[in-house]
Amino acid sequence: MRHALPVQDDRGEGDPSPAHDEEWVRAATGEVTARLVEARTAQEIADAVGEVVRATAGWFGVVLGVADPVESVLQQYWCAPLRDSISARYTRIPLVLDTPQTRAVRTTTPVFVPDAATLKVQFPGPFREMHTDGLGPVIALPLTSPDGQVLGALALMWTDDVAFGPPERELAERVAEVTSAAVSRVHAGARERLVAVALQNAFLTLGVHSREAVVGAQYRSSDRALQIGGDWYDAIERPDGRVFVTVGDTVGSGLDAAAAMGRLRSSSAITALQTVDPARVLQYLDEYAAHVPGATMATVAIAVYEPARRRVKYVCAGHPPPMLVKPSGAVEPLWGARSWPLDVDVDSRRPPPAAAAFPAGSTLLLYTDGLIERRGENLDHGLDLLTASLRRQWTLPVPLLLQAILDDFGIEEGRGRDDTALIALRSVGATDLHLVDVFGADRDDVPVVRHRIRDWLTRVGVPTRVASELVVAVNEVIANAVEHGSHFDPTKLVSVEGAVRERGLVFTVSDQGQWRPGVEHDMPERGRGFLVAEQLSDEVRIDSGSLGTTVTLAWHDVLG
Protein backbone atom coordinates (compact mmCIF):
# COMPACT_ATOMS: atom_id res chain seq x y z
CA MET A 1 0.00 0.00 0.00
CA ARG A 2 1.34 3.42 -1.01
CA HIS A 3 1.26 6.37 1.37
CA ALA A 4 1.89 10.02 0.51
CA LEU A 5 5.05 11.24 2.20
CA PRO A 6 4.74 14.78 3.62
CA VAL A 7 7.96 16.09 2.13
CA GLN A 8 9.03 19.48 0.99
CA ASP A 9 10.87 19.75 -2.32
CA ASP A 10 13.10 22.80 -2.49
CA ARG A 11 13.52 22.24 -6.21
CA GLY A 12 9.80 22.22 -6.99
CA GLU A 13 7.66 19.38 -8.32
CA GLY A 14 8.47 20.20 -11.94
CA ASP A 15 12.20 20.57 -11.56
CA PRO A 16 13.72 17.27 -10.42
CA SER A 17 17.46 16.91 -10.30
CA PRO A 18 18.81 15.66 -13.63
CA ALA A 19 20.51 12.81 -11.78
CA HIS A 20 17.40 11.82 -9.81
CA ASP A 21 14.51 11.08 -12.16
CA GLU A 22 12.18 8.18 -12.90
CA GLU A 23 14.90 6.24 -14.70
CA TRP A 24 17.17 6.68 -11.69
CA VAL A 25 14.41 5.41 -9.38
CA ARG A 26 13.76 2.40 -11.62
CA ALA A 27 17.46 1.49 -11.83
CA ALA A 28 18.05 1.81 -8.08
CA THR A 29 14.92 -0.18 -7.23
CA GLY A 30 15.96 -2.91 -9.66
CA GLU A 31 19.40 -3.12 -8.09
CA VAL A 32 17.92 -3.38 -4.58
CA THR A 33 15.54 -6.11 -5.74
CA ALA A 34 18.39 -8.08 -7.32
CA ARG A 35 20.50 -7.82 -4.16
CA LEU A 36 17.61 -8.88 -1.94
CA VAL A 37 17.17 -12.15 -3.83
CA GLU A 38 20.37 -13.41 -2.19
CA ALA A 39 19.55 -12.12 1.32
CA ARG A 40 18.94 -14.86 3.87
CA THR A 41 18.93 -12.85 7.10
CA ALA A 42 17.64 -9.49 8.31
CA GLN A 43 21.21 -8.17 8.44
CA GLU A 44 21.79 -9.20 4.84
CA ILE A 45 18.59 -7.35 3.87
CA ALA A 46 19.80 -4.18 5.60
CA ASP A 47 23.20 -4.50 3.94
CA ALA A 48 21.69 -5.04 0.49
CA VAL A 49 19.49 -1.95 0.75
CA GLY A 50 22.28 0.10 2.27
CA GLU A 51 24.84 -0.76 -0.37
CA VAL A 52 22.57 0.40 -3.19
CA VAL A 53 21.36 3.55 -1.48
CA ARG A 54 24.92 4.35 -0.53
CA ALA A 55 26.08 4.13 -4.12
CA THR A 56 23.19 5.91 -5.80
CA ALA A 57 21.25 8.20 -3.50
CA GLY A 58 23.40 10.35 -1.22
CA TRP A 59 23.54 7.75 1.54
CA PHE A 60 23.92 8.50 5.25
CA GLY A 61 22.50 5.31 6.70
CA VAL A 62 19.93 2.52 6.47
CA VAL A 63 18.31 0.78 9.43
CA LEU A 64 15.99 -2.19 9.12
CA GLY A 65 13.73 -2.58 12.15
CA VAL A 66 12.02 -5.96 12.62
CA ALA A 67 9.12 -5.98 15.07
CA ASP A 68 9.11 -8.56 17.85
CA PRO A 69 5.51 -8.60 19.12
CA VAL A 70 6.33 -10.98 21.96
CA GLU A 71 8.88 -8.67 23.57
CA SER A 72 7.31 -5.48 22.13
CA VAL A 73 10.61 -4.28 20.71
CA LEU A 74 12.00 -3.29 17.35
CA GLN A 75 15.15 -5.30 16.62
CA GLN A 76 17.36 -3.08 14.49
CA TYR A 77 19.89 -4.05 11.84
CA TRP A 78 22.23 -1.29 10.77
CA CYS A 79 23.91 -0.58 7.50
CA ALA A 80 25.27 2.78 8.57
CA PRO A 81 28.56 4.46 9.57
CA LEU A 82 27.92 4.07 13.29
CA ARG A 83 30.31 3.01 16.00
CA ASP A 84 29.63 -0.16 17.98
CA SER A 85 28.99 1.79 21.16
CA ILE A 86 26.25 3.76 19.38
CA SER A 87 24.66 0.95 17.42
CA ALA A 88 24.65 -1.25 20.55
CA ARG A 89 22.50 1.25 22.33
CA TYR A 90 20.10 1.33 19.41
CA THR A 91 19.99 -2.41 18.75
CA ARG A 92 16.66 -3.03 20.50
CA ILE A 93 14.11 -0.24 20.69
CA PRO A 94 10.93 -0.66 22.78
CA LEU A 95 7.89 -0.08 20.59
CA VAL A 96 6.51 2.33 23.19
CA LEU A 97 9.57 4.58 22.80
CA ASP A 98 8.82 7.26 20.21
CA THR A 99 11.21 7.13 17.25
CA PRO A 100 10.51 7.53 13.53
CA GLN A 101 10.56 3.75 13.07
CA THR A 102 8.42 2.82 16.08
CA ARG A 103 5.91 5.53 15.10
CA ALA A 104 5.78 4.08 11.59
CA VAL A 105 5.08 0.64 13.07
CA ARG A 106 2.41 1.87 15.48
CA THR A 107 0.60 4.06 12.95
CA THR A 108 1.38 1.97 9.82
CA THR A 109 2.10 5.23 7.99
CA PRO A 110 5.40 6.74 6.80
CA VAL A 111 7.21 9.24 9.02
CA PHE A 112 9.30 11.99 7.44
CA VAL A 113 11.78 14.21 9.28
CA PRO A 114 13.41 16.94 7.16
CA ASP A 115 16.69 17.34 9.06
CA ALA A 116 18.72 16.40 12.14
CA ALA A 117 17.58 19.44 14.15
CA THR A 118 13.95 18.48 13.70
CA LEU A 119 14.76 14.86 14.61
CA LYS A 120 16.13 15.95 17.98
CA VAL A 121 13.15 18.22 18.66
CA GLN A 122 10.46 15.71 17.67
CA PHE A 123 12.16 12.66 19.23
CA PRO A 124 14.22 14.04 22.14
CA GLY A 125 14.31 10.84 24.23
CA PRO A 126 16.52 8.62 22.09
CA PHE A 127 18.19 11.27 19.91
CA ARG A 128 18.83 14.27 22.15
CA GLU A 129 22.52 13.50 22.63
CA MET A 130 23.18 11.45 19.51
CA HIS A 131 25.85 12.83 17.16
CA THR A 132 24.11 13.63 13.88
CA ASP A 133 26.74 15.60 11.97
CA GLY A 134 26.03 15.26 8.24
CA LEU A 135 22.53 13.82 8.71
CA GLY A 136 19.79 15.24 6.51
CA PRO A 137 16.27 13.93 5.75
CA VAL A 138 15.05 10.76 7.46
CA ILE A 139 12.18 8.57 6.28
CA ALA A 140 10.72 5.61 8.20
CA LEU A 141 8.32 3.43 6.22
CA PRO A 142 6.25 0.55 7.62
CA LEU A 143 6.93 -2.90 6.24
CA THR A 144 3.95 -5.19 5.82
CA SER A 145 3.34 -8.78 4.79
CA PRO A 146 0.94 -9.73 1.99
CA ASP A 147 -1.80 -10.37 4.58
CA GLY A 148 -1.34 -6.92 6.11
CA GLN A 149 0.75 -7.87 9.16
CA VAL A 150 3.19 -5.15 10.21
CA LEU A 151 6.66 -6.67 10.08
CA GLY A 152 8.67 -3.63 11.08
CA ALA A 153 9.95 -0.42 9.51
CA LEU A 154 12.72 0.66 7.18
CA ALA A 155 14.57 3.90 7.92
CA LEU A 156 16.40 5.61 5.06
CA MET A 157 18.69 8.49 5.95
CA TRP A 158 20.21 10.97 3.52
CA THR A 159 23.12 13.35 3.96
CA ASP A 160 22.42 16.99 4.70
CA ASP A 161 23.48 18.12 1.21
CA VAL A 162 20.60 16.25 -0.47
CA ALA A 163 17.42 18.11 -1.41
CA PHE A 164 14.66 15.57 -0.84
CA GLY A 165 12.08 15.62 -3.62
CA PRO A 166 9.67 13.44 -5.64
CA PRO A 167 12.35 11.04 -7.01
CA GLU A 168 13.71 10.35 -3.50
CA ARG A 169 10.14 9.89 -2.24
CA GLU A 170 9.40 7.43 -5.03
CA LEU A 171 12.61 5.52 -4.38
CA ALA A 172 11.82 5.24 -0.67
CA GLU A 173 8.35 3.84 -1.34
CA ARG A 174 9.53 1.30 -3.90
CA VAL A 175 12.45 0.15 -1.76
CA ALA A 176 10.08 -0.33 1.19
CA GLU A 177 7.83 -2.52 -0.97
CA VAL A 178 10.59 -4.88 -2.11
CA THR A 179 12.08 -4.90 1.39
CA SER A 180 8.71 -5.96 2.82
CA ALA A 181 8.70 -8.94 0.46
CA ALA A 182 12.24 -9.90 1.47
CA VAL A 183 11.46 -9.65 5.20
CA SER A 184 8.35 -11.83 4.72
CA ARG A 185 10.46 -14.46 2.95
CA VAL A 186 13.18 -14.39 5.60
CA HIS A 187 10.56 -14.69 8.37
CA ALA A 188 9.20 -17.85 6.78
CA GLY A 189 12.68 -19.35 6.52
CA ALA A 190 13.50 -18.32 10.08
CA ARG A 191 10.59 -20.31 11.44
CA GLU A 192 11.90 -23.40 9.67
CA ARG A 193 15.33 -22.89 11.22
CA LEU A 194 14.14 -22.52 14.82
CA VAL A 195 14.60 -26.20 15.64
CA ALA A 196 18.11 -26.28 14.13
CA VAL A 197 19.12 -23.13 16.00
CA ALA A 198 17.79 -24.49 19.30
CA LEU A 199 19.73 -27.71 18.70
CA GLN A 200 22.88 -25.78 17.86
CA ASN A 201 22.65 -23.62 20.99
CA ALA A 202 22.10 -26.68 23.16
CA PHE A 203 25.25 -28.29 21.80
CA LEU A 204 27.46 -25.21 21.74
CA THR A 205 26.59 -23.42 24.98
CA LEU A 206 29.19 -23.73 27.72
CA GLY A 207 27.99 -24.42 31.25
CA VAL A 208 31.29 -23.94 33.06
CA HIS A 209 31.17 -21.64 36.10
CA SER A 210 34.77 -21.73 37.25
CA ARG A 211 36.38 -18.77 39.00
CA GLU A 212 39.78 -20.34 38.39
CA ALA A 213 39.92 -19.98 34.62
CA VAL A 214 38.51 -18.20 31.60
CA VAL A 215 37.04 -20.63 29.07
CA GLY A 216 36.06 -19.66 25.53
CA ALA A 217 35.05 -21.55 22.41
CA GLN A 218 34.32 -21.08 18.73
CA TYR A 219 32.55 -23.32 16.23
CA ARG A 220 32.52 -23.06 12.46
CA SER A 221 30.30 -25.39 10.48
CA SER A 222 31.06 -26.31 6.90
CA ASP A 223 27.29 -26.51 6.33
CA ARG A 224 25.87 -23.00 6.04
CA ALA A 225 22.30 -24.21 6.41
CA LEU A 226 22.68 -26.65 9.32
CA GLN A 227 25.39 -24.82 11.33
CA ILE A 228 26.14 -27.93 13.38
CA GLY A 229 27.96 -31.11 12.51
CA GLY A 230 30.12 -33.84 13.92
CA ASP A 231 32.60 -31.70 15.87
CA TRP A 232 31.99 -30.67 19.46
CA TYR A 233 33.52 -28.91 22.43
CA ASP A 234 32.54 -28.82 26.09
CA ALA A 235 33.70 -27.58 29.47
CA ILE A 236 32.60 -28.91 32.86
CA GLU A 237 33.52 -27.63 36.29
CA ARG A 238 33.60 -30.25 39.00
CA PRO A 239 32.55 -29.50 42.60
CA ASP A 240 36.22 -29.77 43.66
CA GLY A 241 37.19 -26.88 41.33
CA ARG A 242 38.79 -28.93 38.58
CA VAL A 243 37.76 -27.94 35.06
CA PHE A 244 37.42 -30.49 32.26
CA VAL A 245 37.64 -29.30 28.67
CA THR A 246 36.92 -31.61 25.75
CA VAL A 247 36.94 -31.43 21.99
CA GLY A 248 35.92 -34.20 19.63
CA ASP A 249 35.27 -35.10 16.02
CA THR A 250 33.01 -37.79 14.60
CA VAL A 251 33.31 -39.18 11.10
CA GLY A 252 31.02 -37.64 8.50
CA SER A 253 28.81 -34.57 8.50
CA GLY A 254 25.18 -33.52 8.61
CA LEU A 255 22.43 -34.65 10.97
CA ASP A 256 23.74 -38.21 11.46
CA ALA A 257 27.13 -36.90 12.57
CA ALA A 258 25.44 -34.28 14.77
CA ALA A 259 23.37 -36.98 16.47
CA ALA A 260 26.46 -39.08 17.24
CA MET A 261 28.29 -35.97 18.40
CA GLY A 262 25.49 -35.06 20.81
CA ARG A 263 25.50 -38.47 22.46
CA LEU A 264 29.28 -38.57 22.86
CA ARG A 265 29.37 -35.01 24.19
CA SER A 266 26.73 -35.77 26.81
CA SER A 267 28.47 -38.96 27.84
CA SER A 268 31.85 -37.27 28.33
CA ALA A 269 30.27 -34.50 30.41
CA ILE A 270 28.46 -36.92 32.71
CA THR A 271 31.55 -39.07 33.16
CA ALA A 272 33.76 -36.05 33.95
CA LEU A 273 31.57 -35.43 37.00
CA GLN A 274 32.25 -38.97 38.25
CA THR A 275 36.04 -39.11 38.01
CA VAL A 276 39.02 -36.73 38.07
CA ASP A 277 41.06 -38.94 35.74
CA PRO A 278 40.83 -37.98 32.03
CA ALA A 279 41.99 -41.49 31.10
CA ARG A 280 38.97 -42.95 32.89
CA VAL A 281 36.68 -40.53 31.08
CA LEU A 282 38.20 -41.73 27.81
CA GLN A 283 37.76 -45.36 28.81
CA TYR A 284 34.06 -44.93 29.53
CA LEU A 285 33.60 -42.90 26.36
CA ASP A 286 35.32 -45.62 24.34
CA GLU A 287 33.00 -48.28 25.77
CA TYR A 288 29.92 -46.13 25.14
CA ALA A 289 30.95 -45.37 21.55
CA ALA A 290 30.46 -49.05 20.68
CA HIS A 291 26.72 -48.51 21.22
CA VAL A 292 26.41 -45.21 19.32
CA PRO A 293 25.80 -45.41 15.55
CA GLY A 294 28.37 -43.29 13.75
CA ALA A 295 30.76 -43.05 16.72
CA THR A 296 33.33 -45.54 15.42
CA MET A 297 36.65 -43.82 14.62
CA ALA A 298 35.60 -40.64 16.40
CA THR A 299 38.57 -38.76 17.87
CA VAL A 300 38.70 -36.84 21.14
CA ALA A 301 41.07 -34.81 23.32
CA ILE A 302 40.29 -34.47 27.03
CA ALA A 303 42.11 -32.24 29.51
CA VAL A 304 41.51 -31.36 33.14
CA TYR A 305 42.88 -28.22 34.81
CA GLU A 306 43.76 -28.68 38.48
CA PRO A 307 43.97 -25.17 40.01
CA ALA A 308 45.31 -26.41 43.36
CA ARG A 309 48.32 -27.97 41.61
CA ARG A 310 48.56 -25.47 38.74
CA ARG A 311 48.76 -28.23 36.18
CA VAL A 312 46.76 -29.86 33.39
CA LYS A 313 46.38 -33.59 32.77
CA TYR A 314 45.30 -34.77 29.35
CA VAL A 315 44.73 -37.67 26.94
CA CYS A 316 44.28 -37.79 23.16
CA ALA A 317 42.49 -40.51 21.22
CA GLY A 318 43.44 -40.19 17.55
CA HIS A 319 43.25 -36.41 17.89
CA PRO A 320 45.67 -33.55 17.11
CA PRO A 321 47.78 -32.53 20.12
CA PRO A 322 46.55 -29.80 22.49
CA MET A 323 48.62 -26.62 22.33
CA LEU A 324 50.05 -25.14 25.51
CA VAL A 325 51.03 -21.48 25.60
CA LYS A 326 53.19 -20.66 28.60
CA PRO A 327 53.05 -17.26 30.36
CA SER A 328 56.29 -16.38 28.54
CA GLY A 329 54.60 -16.92 25.16
CA ALA A 330 56.42 -20.16 24.38
CA VAL A 331 54.16 -22.55 22.43
CA GLU A 332 54.38 -26.29 23.05
CA PRO A 333 52.34 -29.08 21.40
CA LEU A 334 51.40 -31.71 24.01
CA TRP A 335 52.29 -35.03 22.44
CA GLY A 336 51.83 -37.25 25.51
CA ALA A 337 49.13 -39.83 26.31
CA ARG A 338 48.30 -40.54 22.67
CA SER A 339 46.22 -43.50 21.50
CA TRP A 340 43.84 -44.61 18.77
CA PRO A 341 40.31 -43.33 17.94
CA LEU A 342 37.16 -44.53 19.73
CA ASP A 343 35.62 -47.96 19.22
CA VAL A 344 38.64 -49.42 17.46
CA ASP A 345 39.58 -53.01 18.34
CA VAL A 346 43.21 -52.76 19.45
CA ASP A 347 44.81 -55.44 21.60
CA SER A 348 46.47 -52.97 23.95
CA ARG A 349 45.70 -50.68 26.88
CA ARG A 350 45.45 -46.96 26.43
CA PRO A 351 48.22 -45.00 28.21
CA PRO A 352 47.72 -43.09 31.47
CA PRO A 353 47.23 -39.32 31.26
CA ALA A 354 50.16 -36.99 30.73
CA ALA A 355 50.63 -33.77 32.70
CA ALA A 356 52.02 -30.28 32.11
CA ALA A 357 52.61 -27.30 34.40
CA PHE A 358 49.95 -24.60 34.10
CA PRO A 359 50.84 -21.46 36.10
CA ALA A 360 48.83 -18.21 36.08
CA GLY A 361 48.44 -16.78 32.60
CA SER A 362 48.90 -20.12 30.82
CA THR A 363 46.64 -20.99 27.89
CA LEU A 364 45.50 -24.40 26.66
CA LEU A 365 43.97 -24.75 23.19
CA LEU A 366 42.06 -27.82 22.03
CA TYR A 367 40.80 -27.97 18.45
CA THR A 368 39.57 -30.33 15.75
CA ASP A 369 41.48 -31.23 12.60
CA GLY A 370 39.23 -28.99 10.48
CA LEU A 371 41.46 -26.16 11.68
CA ILE A 372 44.81 -27.53 10.51
CA GLU A 373 43.99 -30.12 7.84
CA ARG A 374 44.06 -29.12 4.18
CA ARG A 375 43.76 -31.41 1.19
CA GLY A 376 47.16 -32.19 -0.27
CA GLU A 377 49.06 -30.76 2.73
CA ASN A 378 50.88 -32.55 5.52
CA LEU A 379 49.33 -32.21 8.98
CA ASP A 380 52.71 -31.06 10.26
CA HIS A 381 52.37 -28.03 8.03
CA GLY A 382 49.03 -27.20 9.65
CA LEU A 383 50.56 -27.58 13.11
CA ASP A 384 53.39 -25.26 12.13
CA LEU A 385 50.87 -22.66 10.97
CA LEU A 386 48.94 -23.00 14.24
CA THR A 387 52.12 -22.61 16.25
CA ALA A 388 53.00 -19.48 14.30
CA SER A 389 49.50 -18.08 14.81
CA LEU A 390 49.66 -18.66 18.56
CA ARG A 391 53.08 -17.03 18.82
CA ARG A 392 51.70 -14.02 16.99
CA GLN A 393 48.35 -13.76 18.77
CA TRP A 394 48.86 -15.35 22.19
CA THR A 395 48.61 -12.16 24.26
CA LEU A 396 45.07 -11.52 23.08
CA PRO A 397 42.23 -12.23 25.53
CA VAL A 398 40.66 -15.63 24.94
CA PRO A 399 37.62 -14.49 22.89
CA LEU A 400 39.83 -12.45 20.57
CA LEU A 401 42.52 -15.14 20.42
CA LEU A 402 40.11 -17.75 19.10
CA GLN A 403 38.75 -15.39 16.46
CA ALA A 404 42.27 -14.37 15.43
CA ILE A 405 43.26 -18.02 14.95
CA LEU A 406 40.24 -18.64 12.73
CA ASP A 407 41.06 -15.50 10.76
CA ASP A 408 44.68 -16.60 10.33
CA PHE A 409 43.42 -19.85 8.81
CA GLY A 410 40.78 -18.11 6.71
CA ILE A 411 37.91 -20.12 8.21
CA GLU A 412 34.45 -18.59 7.81
CA GLU A 413 31.02 -19.87 8.79
CA GLY A 414 29.56 -22.21 6.17
CA ARG A 415 32.55 -21.93 3.83
CA GLY A 416 35.13 -24.36 5.19
CA ARG A 417 35.99 -27.80 3.88
CA ASP A 418 35.31 -29.33 7.28
CA ASP A 419 33.68 -28.43 10.59
CA THR A 420 36.02 -26.72 13.06
CA ALA A 421 35.73 -26.52 16.84
CA LEU A 422 38.11 -24.74 19.21
CA ILE A 423 38.07 -24.38 22.97
CA ALA A 424 40.63 -22.52 25.06
CA LEU A 425 41.26 -22.32 28.80
CA ARG A 426 43.40 -19.66 30.50
CA SER A 427 44.22 -19.70 34.22
CA VAL A 428 43.39 -16.66 36.35
CA GLY A 429 46.07 -14.38 37.77
CA ALA A 430 48.32 -11.51 36.79
CA THR A 431 51.56 -11.55 34.82
CA ASP A 432 53.65 -8.86 33.14
CA LEU A 433 51.54 -9.30 30.00
CA HIS A 434 48.16 -10.59 31.20
CA LEU A 435 45.45 -9.93 33.74
CA VAL A 436 42.85 -12.69 34.00
CA ASP A 437 40.00 -12.31 36.48
CA VAL A 438 36.67 -14.07 36.99
CA PHE A 439 34.11 -12.99 39.59
CA GLY A 440 30.45 -13.37 40.49
CA ALA A 441 28.07 -10.69 39.30
CA ASP A 442 27.72 -9.09 42.72
CA ARG A 443 27.83 -5.30 42.76
CA ASP A 444 30.03 -5.46 45.88
CA ASP A 445 32.72 -7.30 43.89
CA VAL A 446 33.04 -4.56 41.27
CA PRO A 447 35.25 -2.22 43.40
CA VAL A 448 37.55 -5.14 44.24
CA VAL A 449 38.01 -5.98 40.57
CA ARG A 450 38.53 -2.31 39.77
CA HIS A 451 41.41 -2.14 42.27
CA ARG A 452 43.01 -5.25 40.75
CA ILE A 453 42.83 -3.66 37.31
CA ARG A 454 44.44 -0.47 38.61
CA ASP A 455 47.24 -2.45 40.29
CA TRP A 456 47.92 -4.37 37.08
CA LEU A 457 48.05 -1.19 35.01
CA THR A 458 50.67 0.16 37.41
CA ARG A 459 52.60 -3.10 37.09
CA VAL A 460 52.77 -2.90 33.28
CA GLY A 461 53.80 0.77 33.34
CA VAL A 462 50.70 2.73 32.31
CA PRO A 463 51.00 6.41 33.38
CA THR A 464 48.73 7.35 36.29
CA ARG A 465 46.48 9.76 34.37
CA VAL A 466 45.99 7.31 31.50
CA ALA A 467 45.45 4.44 33.95
CA SER A 468 42.63 6.38 35.61
CA GLU A 469 40.82 6.78 32.29
CA LEU A 470 41.32 3.12 31.46
CA VAL A 471 39.89 2.05 34.82
CA VAL A 472 36.80 4.24 34.32
CA ALA A 473 36.22 2.85 30.82
CA VAL A 474 36.59 -0.80 31.82
CA ASN A 475 34.50 -0.23 34.94
CA GLU A 476 31.61 1.11 32.85
CA VAL A 477 31.62 -2.08 30.77
CA ILE A 478 31.90 -4.28 33.87
CA ALA A 479 28.91 -2.49 35.39
CA ASN A 480 26.88 -3.24 32.26
CA ALA A 481 27.88 -6.91 32.36
CA VAL A 482 26.98 -7.22 36.04
CA GLU A 483 23.63 -5.46 35.69
CA HIS A 484 22.33 -6.25 32.22
CA GLY A 485 24.24 -9.43 31.47
CA SER A 486 23.82 -11.05 34.87
CA HIS A 487 21.09 -9.10 36.69
CA PHE A 488 23.27 -8.83 39.82
CA ASP A 489 23.14 -12.62 40.24
CA PRO A 490 26.38 -13.67 42.02
CA THR A 491 26.02 -17.20 40.66
CA LYS A 492 26.57 -15.82 37.15
CA LEU A 493 30.18 -15.06 36.27
CA VAL A 494 31.85 -12.15 34.56
CA SER A 495 35.38 -12.47 33.19
CA VAL A 496 37.85 -9.64 32.62
CA GLU A 497 41.04 -10.01 30.62
CA GLY A 498 43.69 -7.40 30.05
CA ALA A 499 46.60 -7.90 27.67
CA VAL A 500 49.64 -5.99 26.52
CA ARG A 501 49.83 -5.68 22.72
CA GLU A 502 53.11 -4.03 21.68
CA ARG A 503 52.70 -0.42 22.93
CA GLY A 504 48.98 -0.82 23.47
CA LEU A 505 46.47 -2.56 25.72
CA VAL A 506 43.30 -4.51 25.06
CA PHE A 507 40.61 -5.48 27.57
CA THR A 508 37.66 -7.81 27.18
CA VAL A 509 34.71 -8.09 29.54
CA SER A 510 32.55 -11.17 28.99
CA ASP A 511 29.34 -12.35 30.61
CA GLN A 512 27.37 -15.52 30.08
CA GLY A 513 23.96 -13.90 29.85
CA GLN A 514 21.85 -13.40 26.78
CA TRP A 515 21.24 -9.69 27.32
CA ARG A 516 20.99 -7.47 24.29
CA PRO A 517 21.81 -3.76 24.48
CA GLY A 518 19.10 -1.24 23.87
CA VAL A 519 17.34 1.89 25.02
CA GLU A 520 15.01 1.58 28.00
CA HIS A 521 11.72 3.30 27.22
CA ASP A 522 11.17 4.67 30.72
CA MET A 523 14.77 5.82 31.16
CA PRO A 524 16.20 6.68 27.72
CA GLU A 525 19.15 8.33 29.42
CA ARG A 526 20.31 4.85 30.49
CA GLY A 527 22.62 2.74 28.40
CA ARG A 528 25.32 5.37 28.02
CA GLY A 529 28.12 3.38 29.60
CA PHE A 530 29.33 2.41 26.13
CA LEU A 531 29.45 6.06 25.14
CA VAL A 532 31.67 6.84 28.14
CA ALA A 533 33.88 3.85 27.37
CA GLU A 534 34.20 4.93 23.76
CA GLN A 535 35.19 8.47 24.69
CA LEU A 536 37.98 7.13 26.91
CA SER A 537 39.33 4.42 24.56
CA ASP A 538 40.54 4.10 20.99
CA GLU A 539 38.22 1.23 20.04
CA VAL A 540 35.04 -0.35 21.37
CA ARG A 541 33.59 -3.57 19.95
CA ILE A 542 30.62 -5.62 21.08
CA ASP A 543 30.08 -9.27 20.17
CA SER A 544 27.01 -11.26 21.24
CA GLY A 545 26.37 -14.93 20.65
CA SER A 546 25.14 -18.16 22.19
CA LEU A 547 27.93 -18.04 24.79
CA GLY A 548 27.10 -14.53 25.98
CA THR A 549 28.34 -11.02 25.30
CA THR A 550 31.94 -9.81 25.03
CA VAL A 551 32.91 -6.15 24.95
CA THR A 552 36.41 -5.26 23.76
CA LEU A 553 38.20 -2.02 24.60
CA ALA A 554 41.54 -1.16 22.99
CA TRP A 555 44.18 1.53 23.46
CA HIS A 556 46.88 1.82 20.81
CA ASP A 557 49.75 3.77 22.34
CA VAL A 558 49.75 3.99 26.13
CA LEU A 559 52.98 2.20 27.05
CA GLY A 560 56.47 3.59 26.91
Side-chain angles (χ1 to χ4, degrees), residues 405-416:
I405 292 171
L406 291 170
D407 290 344
D408 282 349
F409 279 85
I411 296 176
E412 300 179 30
E413 188 70 68
R415 297 185 179 181

Side-chain angles (χ1 to χ4, degrees), residues 140-160:
L141 301 104
L143 304 175
T144 58
S145 65
D147 61 2
Q149 177 188 0
V150 179
L151 303 172
L154 180 69
L156 303 173
M157 295 168 279
W158 275 260
T159 55
D160 56 11

Side-chain angles (χ1 to χ4, degrees), residues 14 117 282:
L282 177 58

Side-chain angles (χ1 to χ4, degrees), residues 181-520:
V183 173
S184 294
R185 172 174 52 78
V186 167
H187 266 206
R191 287 192 292 269
E192 296 174 359
R193 290 193 298 270
L194 283 178
V195 174
V197 171
L199 182 64
Q200 176 189 7
N201 288 339
F203 282 150
L204 302 183
T205 298
L206 290 175
V208 64
H209 293 88
S210 174
R211 300 186 183 217
E212 300 294 338
V214 169
V215 180
Q218 286 276 0
Y219 187 89
R220 292 292 181 271
S221 172
S222 59
D223 186 335
R224 185 177 181 184
L226 185 60
Q227 296 187 336
I228 55 174
D231 292 14
W232 85 87
Y233 58 71
D234 202 4
I236 298 294
E237 181 198 14
R238 289 176 46 85
D240 59 15
R242 292 179 172 91
V243 181
F244 272 84
V245 288
T246 309
V247 70
D249 186 357
T250 60
V251 177
S253 60
L255 285 175
D256 290 341
M261 171 270 286
R263 296 179 67 177
L264 292 176
R265 182 180 187 266
S266 298
S267 176
S268 65
I270 293 170
T271 308
L273 293 174
Q274 311 303 317
T275 177
V276 300
D277 184 356
R280 292 288 298 278
V281 175
L282 177 58
Q283 176 188 339
Y284 294 139
L285 195 61
D286 196 20
E287 294 171 357
Y288 180 65
H291 304 280
V292 177
T296 300
M297 291 298 294
T299 68
V300 63
I302 305 170
V304 55
Y305 170 48
E306 300 177 331
R309 298 187 179 184
R310 289 289 186 179
R311 72 175 184 180
V312 290
K313 296 173 66 177
Y314 64 95
V315 293
C316 282
H319 207 80
M323 304 296 282
L324 171 65
V325 185
K326 299 179 180 180
S328 63
V331 179
E332 177 184 344
L334 299 180
W335 288 105
R338 300 192 61 75
S339 60
W340 46 92
L342 300 180
D343 191 29
V344 174
D345 188 11
V346 176
D347 188 19
S348 181
R349 293 177 60 87
R350 295 186 187 268
F358 206 73
S362 301
T363 306
L364 183 70
L365 175 71
L366 279 64
Y367 53 96
T368 57
D369 59 10
L371 178 67
I372 62 171
E373 188 176 32
R374 296 293 181 273
R375 184 174 301 173
E377 294 182 359
N378 191 294
L379 275 180
D380 289 340
H381 178 65
L383 285 173
D384 290 342
L385 292 177
L386 178 56
T387 300
S389 177
L390 285 168
R391 286 173 177 165
R392 185 167 54 252
Q393 312 286 5
W394 72 280
T395 59
L396 286 171
V398 165
L400 304 184
L401 173 63
L402 295 176
Q403 184 59 57
I405 292 171
L406 291 170
D407 290 344
D408 282 349
F409 279 85
I411 296 176
E412 300 179 30
E413 188 70 68
R415 297 185 179 181
R417 299 181 180 88
D418 194 4
D419 300 334
T420 301
L422 299 86
I423 186 167
L425 179 147
R426 179 173 285 160
S427 50
V428 300
T431 72
D432 290 342
L433 294 173
H434 276 129
L435 171 69
V436 184
D437 206 343
V438 182
F439 61 98
D442 188 326
R443 68 177 80 227
D444 293 336
D445 284 345
V446 174
V448 178
V449 176
R450 186 168 61 240
H451 286 303
R452 285 201 284 260
I453 293 171
R454 187 181 296 276
D455 290 344
W456 182 74
L457 292 173
T458 300
R459 174 176 179 173
V460 300
V462 178
T464 302
R465 180 187 61 80
V466 177
S468 297
E469 294 182 353
L470 266 66
V471 171
V472 170
V474 178
N475 186 72
E476 288 288 346
V477 178
I478 290 174
N480 272 292
V482 169
E483 179 180 359
H484 299 294
S486 309
H487 307 291
F488 300 113
D489 182 350
T491 65
K492 296 181 178 179
L493 300 183
V494 176
S495 63
V496 179
E497 288 190 77
V500 174
R501 295 285 287 176
E502 297 178 350
R503 293 172 52 85
L505 292 173
V506 60
F507 273 87
T508 58
V509 179
S510 302
D511 64 72
Q512 297 168 316
Q514 296 303 308
W515 72 285
R516 286 167 286 185
V519 177
E520 300 177 32

